[in-house]
Amino acid sequence: MPTRAERQGRNESLFREVNERIAELNQTFHVEGRSEFLCECSREECKQPVSISIDEYEGVRRESTRFFVIPGHEDESVERVVERNERYVVVEKFGEAADEADDLDPRS
Ligand SMILES: [Zn+2]
């Protein structure tokens, strides 16, 4: 049985994959301004949209252990907040969750 941390990590990485497709489409169609991406938190029931520009998205994606979530969806037992604004929070995983996020990084 996967541990809770492993399941959470996988869930986040799944949303990251979906967001990668959204980013690709936005680049293909030269979408300007912000787009709706999916919150990358570990709550299985969460499918909330996050309004974020492609530049902001790329900034987060540069680090394999960073994810963006809607404010309040951060989980400070497995991640620390590196950036916060009214639309989203950028978190950085640490420990086991960071290894998992790094292993599943679609860009590595
Ligand atoms: Zn969420």
Side-chain angles (χ1 to χ4, degrees):
M1 285 293 283
T3 64
R4 185 166 166 269
E6 281 168 352
R7 257 206 334 272
Q8 286 186 341
R10 244 174 258 163
N11 203 45
E12 287 159 333
S13 297
L14 177 69
F15 284 122
R16 178 168 57 187
E17 298 276 357
V18 174
N19 284 337
E20 285 284 84
R21 296 291 88 78
I22 296 173
E24 267 175 31
L25 287 172
N26 285 342
Q27 277 160 339
T28 304
F29 295 107
H30 305 288
V31 174
E32 303 280 336
R34 294 175 195 158
S35 302
E36 303 273 283
F37 286 89
L38 291 174
C39 176
E40 297 180 326
C41 78
S42 55
R43 301 169 189 210
E44 279 174 60
E45 72 284 4
C46 177
K47 293 178 183 63
Q48 304 230 40
V50 180
S51 178
I52 180 169
S53 75
I54 200 75
D55 287 344
E56 291 167 328
Y57 179 79
E58 288 296 324
V60 176
R61 216 59 327 144
R62 221 170 282 140
E63 299 287 336
S64 66
T65 54
R66 291 191 182 184
F67 293 85
F68 55 88
V69 301
I70 61 172
H73 283 199
E74 61 273 28
D75 178 356
E76 291 185 63
S77 65
V78 292
E79 58 206 17
R80 65 186 181 85
V81 172
V82 293
E83 195 187 323
R84 186 189 290 278
N85 63 41
E86 71 283 358
R87 287 176 289 121
Y88 62 91
V89 175
V90 179
V91 295
E92 187 172 79
K93 302 282 170 187
F94 52 76
E96 211 184 311
D99 295 340
E100 180 87 0
D102 194 44
D103 284 350
L104 297 172
D105 184 6
R107 297 194 179 188
S108 66

